[in-house]
Amino acid sequence: MFSTVELRHIRLCLTKQLAAGRPELVKLDEDSDEYMEKANDLMMLDRIIAKIDREQA
């Protein structure tokens, strides 16, 4: 589907997005809908990164 170089670039971009999203999550109220949406988005990014890692192993 994607070449190794493309997957590496996608993984890098997702890792940067994940790293940038974590500090934003800390600032949100844990009971808010926005917090839940952000947390779910970050978990999904983490899963995609793990899947790319498995594919490249």
Side-chain angles (χ1 to χ4, degrees):
M1 180 156 57
F2 291 107
S3 72
T4 303
V5 173
E6 290 169 328
L7 284 173
R8 214 174 325 157
H9 182 70
I10 291 168
R11 185 187 184 289
L12 178 64
C13 291
L14 294 177
T15 302
K16 286 180 181 179
Q17 192 173 356
L18 182 64
R22 285 184 176 143
E24 294 175 17
L25 186 66
V26 172
K27 296 176 185 176
L28 297 174
D29 177 20
E30 292 183 15
D31 295 326
S32 70
D33 289 338
E34 188 178 359
Y35 179 92
M36 291 306 295
E37 287 178 25
K38 188 70 165 178
N40 288 335
D41 290 346
L42 293 176
M43 284 190 294
M44 185 58 66
L45 288 175
D46 194 43
R47 285 187 205 138
I48 295 169
I49 292 167
K51 188 173 185 177
I52 291 171
D53 289 344
R54 283 192 306 272
E55 292 290 324
Q56 290 186 329

